[in-house]
Amino acid sequence: MNLYDDIAYLKGVGPAKAKVLASELEIRTVADLLDYVPFRYVDRSQLSTVATLTEEDNFVVLKGRMSNMQSVATGKFRERLTVDFFDGTGILQLVWFAGTKWVREKIKPNMDFFVMGHPTVFNGQWQMSHPEIERAENGDFSTPFMPVYGTTEKMKKSGLGTRALARITEGMVASLPDVPENLPDDILAHFHLMPRRKALIAIHYPESLQQLDQARMRLKFEELFFLQLDYQYARVQRSSRSQGRIFAHVGDHFHRFYGEKIPFPLTGAQKRVIREVREDMRTGRQMNRLIQGDVGSGKTLVALMCMLIALDNGSQACLMAPTEILATQHFITFQRMLDGLGINVELLTGSVRAAAKKKIKQRLAEGDIHFLIGTHALIEDDVAFHDLGLVVIDEQHRFGVEQRGKLWAKSTVPPHVLVMTATPIPRTLAMTVYGDLDCSVIDELPPGRHPVRTYHRLERNRPLVFSFLKKQIDAGRQVYIVYPLIEESEKSDLKNLQDGLEMVQNYFPRPQYQTSMVHGRLTADEKAFEMDRFKRGLTHIMVATTVIEVGVDVPNASVMVIENAERFGLSQLHQLRGRVGRGADQAYCILMTKDHLSSTSRERIQTMCATTDGFQIAEADLRLRGPGDIQGLQQSGVLNLRLASIVDDEPLVKATRDTVHDLLASDPSLSSHPLLQHHIDNSKNKMLWGKIS
Ligand code: ADP
Ligand code: MG
């Protein structure tokens, strides 16, 4: 047998089953099956007895004899087959509805069997339906741990249930050929890792729990190690290959802005991040940097100052935002802050009229526009820059890899790239997925901010909530009331919103109270108009869907009410809450939910009430949802991890990251690590994130 032999030739498989294995699990070769690890094990050395079963028992193994087989017809070709199983302490009734032919052949009286499965009580009698059964030949098992594999309905129908799979893997392991080692010797020795072949055998058929633990450890290490290698190798390659513009000096624009325009001192974190960016941009390597900073930490200002450095070095810069509202808001902020410095800033979004657009494009190509701010419109093919030196992408998680790649193509020497995100990435993820991005963290809020106080309230508390809002508004503050919007049911969501608006206007009658409403169905102009009224304090209440989620800045707003908060994810709740608490006043976030919450909803709400720290929230989010739902991770190898978990294996993530880092530092081209070189050559994960990030 060879590792890459067709699985069909393996004992117990054959062409029909091989086809099912390929279509259901993409298992085609012996090596593939070897990689298909059990998701749990049954410890057959731990026998239960019928007399001591409890309803809490999930899966038990019993040993005894069968008698009293009875069949009741339940259809033309169907029957319900029952057998009494007796282990000397009590009787358990075994029940089958399907596959009864096989059971009839298998079961013999006066012979010991092991019976495994989930026991239940039915009419006061212990029962087990569709148990796994196995002859207890010498009264014992060959190995104490029986692997349990994931199977699908189709597999079960084709005779590939977990027990059948186990019989196949047992044969495979018994005649397993050499399995080449794929980790360097010094790493194996340093981390006391089990050899690969041994680990693969032990993960299917461990001799003991300790051995299983070591096998798992070895295989997890391997997974994370190669994930790290893919990312970090790509980064090393890119930084050695791609030349970047050299922004050697900081000039007049930067200094004048710094000296005359900023009404407050920068925070230490802002200063540090600007320094890191400056360092990057003068090395001659292309910058790819991610700036993480909680909502309200002042990322926009950092972006602006980095753009000034580009300008001082004769380049244009652009800022790309995910929504028109945000782009417009940035544009207004930039115009205000740059007033009098002779810098030409323009806004390009989908709703700029054709004639104006044409003019902007022309001026852009001539170099007359210094800073261009916009949405996706920026990356349209006919938008050409004179000399684009820096691209800033705000709220990165909304942009796809391709879109970023398009921006990159807008210039012969690639522009430096700064990606800003307010959605903190849990450390373990940052260590892997962003292994090829440099990271800066703005971990300090401007002084004088009080953490937002967050409360959970139910519908029956609404009168109190509204009277609280009234007090806030009467004291001169403004409030947001946000409704969920889920695309599939946009219509009914809009109705929710309108009902909500009506209820709000009943309680807060005009003309004393003014209300704005913003949702996805409005045109950009209408949205901008309403946002502007709210921003200027002409309206007191903003009733909105999540279109306001990202980046909107109204410092006078002090309360964020989130309706149906159980329908939002944690990072969304955190984003929304970040819309308040931007001024000097105490701010509040009120999470309205229905009475009965699922356990994950409850944990989300509790997390929100307990902390305002974005990193803690991101970690909780990762724990509750797993990495599968985190935006932008879909193409990353993180989701293909079979054994390792980005959530639970932080120490291993860190160890592999550091190991790969050191290895590449001393051998960047892997020339003295042929095994690893080989892996890279065959890696499917090549250039995961395109050229940018
Ligand atoms: P975000 O990181 O969420 O994008 P912004 O850049 O929108 O945050 O900044 C939030 C608010 O804080 C803005 O009103 C901005 O003017 C203000 N701000 C930024 N930096 C400072 C600072 N160092 N001191 C005081 N206020 C600041
Ligand atoms: Mg922002």
Side-chain angles (χ1 to χ4, degrees):
M1 182 170 61
N2 187 304
L3 267 187
Y4 296 98
D5 278 352
D6 189 330
I7 195 78
Y9 301 115
L10 210 58
K11 187 164 162 266
V13 183
K17 285 183 179 147
K19 221 169 148 184
V20 175
L21 282 172
S23 67
E24 294 293 288
L25 301 176
E26 305 206 0
I27 293 176
R28 296 186 171 80
T29 64
V30 173
D32 292 340
L33 185 59
L34 201 54
D35 275 346
Y36 192 62
V37 301
F39 71 89
R40 69 185 171 86
Y41 305 81
V42 176
D43 183 353
R44 296 185 286 195
S45 64
Q46 301 292 318
L47 288 183
S48 304
T49 59
V50 176
T52 55
L53 288 178
T54 73
E55 299 207 47
E56 274 81 59
D57 284 327
N58 235 329
F59 193 96
V60 294
V61 185
L62 303 152
K63 187 174 163 188
R65 295 189 170 197
M66 319 271 199
S67 65
N68 191 24
M69 183 182 289
Q70 297 196 11
S71 165
V72 179
T74 55
K76 204 165 177 192
F77 299 107
R78 288 161 182 260
E79 62 172 340
R80 178 174 180 275
L81 189 71
T82 59
V83 175
D84 287 345
F85 171 87
F86 180 64
D87 71 346
T89 72
I91 290 179
L92 170 75
Q93 189 175 57
L94 310 181
V95 188
W96 284 270
F97 304 95
T100 51
K101 181 163 169 275
W102 179 84
V103 177
R104 282 171 188 282
E105 283 165 15
K106 175 109 178 174
I107 289 179
K108 304 263 160 27
N110 304 322
M111 223 180 243
D112 281 336
F113 281 90
F114 287 108
V115 162
M116 295 158 257
H118 173 61
T120 53
V121 178
F122 185 73
N123 283 344
Q125 146 102 62
W126 282 108
Q127 247 193 18
M128 192 181 279
S129 51
H130 286 252
E132 292 165 24
I133 55 176
E134 181 160 311
R135 281 266 303 281
E137 264 141 51
N138 303 317
D140 214 341
F141 291 103
S142 47
T143 62
F145 297 98
M146 191 184 75
V148 181
Y149 299 96
T151 57
T152 65
E153 277 312 306
K154 199 167 163 213
M155 286 171 65
K156 282 184 197 145
K157 283 199 188 109
S158 318
L160 283 168
T162 182
R163 199 58 209 109
L165 266 181
R167 274 190 294 271
I168 295 169
T169 56
E170 209 171 342
M172 169 181 74
V173 163
S175 56
L176 193 68
D178 185 33
V179 179
E181 184 52 62
N182 59 3
L183 290 174
D185 287 343
D186 53 339
I187 291 178
L188 289 177
H190 185 261
F191 290 98
H192 308 289
L193 298 173
M194 198 183 253
R196 184 147 200 263
R197 184 175 191 276
K198 189 170 169 197
L200 284 168
I201 293 175
I203 199 81
H204 290 277
Y205 292 94
E207 284 162 11
S208 65
L209 284 177
Q210 289 96 305
Q211 200 199 35
L212 175 60
D213 194 49
Q214 285 178 343
R216 271 215 183 105
M217 163 84 178
R218 142 82 214 205
L219 295 172
K220 282 182 183 181
F221 187 97
E222 176 184 319
E223 274 189 316
L224 292 170
F225 178 89
F226 286 110
L227 189 65
Q228 289 288 342
L229 188 67
D230 288 339
Y231 278 107
Q232 293 195 35
Y233 183 79
R235 171 187 181 170
V236 168
Q237 287 300 301
R238 195 185 46 229
S239 62
S240 66
R241 227 187 285 136
S242 62
Q243 70 181 128
R245 290 143 191 284
I246 299 178
F247 292 164
H249 63 281
V250 173
D252 271 3
H253 289 112
F254 186 94
H255 288 308
R256 279 190 61 200
F257 180 79
Y258 194 78
E260 299 164 20
K261 292 290 179 184
I262 311 182
F264 36 67
L266 294 180
T267 64
Q270 283 173 317
K271 284 188 197 158
R272 188 189 68 238
V273 171
I274 292 171
R275 256 200 317 274
E276 286 167 354
V277 172
R278 258 177 70 182
E279 265 321 301
D280 277 359
M281 294 198 301
R282 68 169 171 222
T283 56
R285 282 195 286 110
Q286 186 242 352
M287 171 177 73
N288 260 291
R289 184 168 285 278
L290 177 74
I291 298 185
Q292 296 188 59
D294 225 328
V295 278
S297 60
K299 292 184 294 294
T300 314
L301 189 61
V302 169
L304 174 55
M305 295 184 70
C306 296
M307 289 166 77
L308 288 169
I309 298 176
L311 180 62
D312 278 337
N313 288 274
S315 281
Q316 292 168 298
C318 71
L319 171 65
M320 191 155 83
T323 64
E324 289 211 26
I325 292 187
L326 254 187
T328 309
Q329 186 181 295
H330 282 320
F331 176 63
I332 295 168
T333 306
F334 271 47
Q335 275 189 321
R336 180 168 46 85
M337 296 197 88
L338 296 173
D339 185 43
L341 292 179
I343 297 173
N344 299 335
V345 188
E346 286 297 338
L347 176 69
L348 186 65
T349 65
S351 52
V352 172
R353 285 179 217 297
K357 212 179 244 173
K358 198 170 158 208
K359 183 117 184 282
I360 289 176
K361 286 178 190 166
Q362 191 189 339
R363 288 178 57 210
L364 194 65
E366 287 164 2
D368 184 43
I369 293 173
H370 303 119
F371 293 166
L372 185 64
I373 295 172
T375 53
H376 293 77
L378 281 189
I379 56 174
E380 280 167 22
D381 292 332
D382 59 344
V383 178
F385 289 81
H386 174 66
D387 180 28
L388 179 60
L390 172 66
V391 174
V392 180
I393 301 175
D394 194 9
E395 310 298 354
Q396 154 271 344
H397 58 291
R398 297 287 176 98
F399 282 103
V401 175
E402 279 159 62
Q403 292 162 331
R404 281 178 261 159
K406 269 190 160 178
L407 258 174
W408 167 289
K410 292 206 173 293
S411 149
T412 42
V413 181
H416 295 298
V417 178
L418 206 54
V419 177
M420 303 195 295
T421 178
T423 311
I425 295 151
R427 263 179 325 207
T428 47
L429 272 183
M431 278 190 246
T432 31
V433 177
Y434 294 101
D436 70 329
L437 259 192
D438 295 302
C439 263
S440 294
V441 181
I442 308 185
D443 49 5
E444 184 183 348
L445 292 180
R449 301 261 172 91
H450 311 285
V452 179
R453 287 194 197 145
T454 304
Y455 302 97
H456 176 201
R457 294 288 180 265
L458 304 173
E459 193 53 44
R460 62 170 172 274
N461 309 127
R462 187 173 294 280
L464 280 175
V465 171
F466 273 15
S467 81
F468 175 72
L469 298 186
K470 205 165 238 170
K471 274 196 208 117
Q472 287 284 311
I473 294 171
D474 292 346
R477 303 281 90 80
Q478 290 164 284
V479 306
Y480 292 101
I481 303 178
V482 175
Y483 286 80
L485 185 127
I486 295 171
E487 270 161 49
E488 301 99 71
S489 57
E490 213 176 319
K491 269 201 190 123
S492 68
D493 285 324
L494 201 58
K495 183 163 181 315
N496 274 343
L497 187 69
Q498 251 139 13
D499 291 350
L501 181 72
E502 221 162 273
M503 179 174 65
V504 169
Q505 284 178 337
N506 277 338
Y507 197 91
F508 296 95
R510 281 176 289 196
Q512 194 189 349
Y513 299 98
Q514 295 291 332
T515 307
S516 285
M517 178 159 92
V518 169
H519 56 81
R521 290 283 180 88
L522 300 181
T523 66
D525 280 350
E526 290 168 330
K527 273 186 228 165
F529 177 77
E530 284 300 325
M531 278 313 301
D532 189 54
R533 290 203 318 143
F534 187 64
K535 197 161 180 167
R536 289 196 291 150
L538 300 180
T539 59
H540 307 101
I541 304 172
M542 166 61 75
V543 176
T545 57
T546 45
V547 288
I548 63 148
E549 181 187 337
V550 188
V552 170
D553 190 20
V554 180
N556 190 47
S558 64
V559 190
M560 168 64 66
V561 180
I562 304 176
E563 299 284 347
N564 300 115
E566 72 275 6
R567 285 173 62 184
F568 291 88
L570 259 180
S571 69
Q572 232 182 346
L573 290 172
H574 180 59
Q575 284 283 329
L576 284 169
R577 180 169 60 184
R579 299 307 114 218
V580 295
R582 310 192 136 225
D585 294 298
Q586 178 61 54
Y588 305 87
C589 174
I590 300 170
L591 305 171
M592 301 292 295
T593 73
K594 56 182 185 183
D595 287 12
H596 297 288
L597 298 178
S598 70
S599 63
T600 48
S601 299
R602 191 167 327 112
E603 205 176 329
R604 280 202 299 268
I605 302 288
Q606 282 167 352
T607 304
M608 286 297 294
C609 293
T611 182
T612 53
D613 179 332
F615 281 92
Q616 279 187 31
I617 288 170
E619 306 265 349
D621 198 26
L622 184 63
R623 196 159 34 73
L624 288 173
R625 294 195 302 170
D629 285 322
I630 293 187
Q631 294 233 24
L633 286 187
Q634 271 63 24
Q635 305 102 315
S636 78
V638 171
L639 302 184
N640 300 330
L641 292 173
R642 272 190 317 265
L643 284 168
S645 148
I646 222 72
V647 182
D648 303 327
D649 293 316
E650 185 173 339
L652 265 187
V653 170
K654 200 164 165 347
T656 51
R657 182 199 57 174
D658 294 346
T659 305
V660 169
H661 179 89
D662 294 349
L663 192 143
L664 286 172
S666 65
D667 183 15
S669 62
L670 296 176
S671 51
S672 50
H673 290 87
L675 275 179
L676 304 182
Q677 183 80 67
H678 178 77
H679 165 84
I680 292 288
D681 291 343
N682 291 297
S683 176
K684 292 179 210 128
N685 293 337
K686 257 180 215 165
M687 298 310 286
L688 285 161
W689 290 78
K691 284 181 178 165
I692 295 179
S693 83

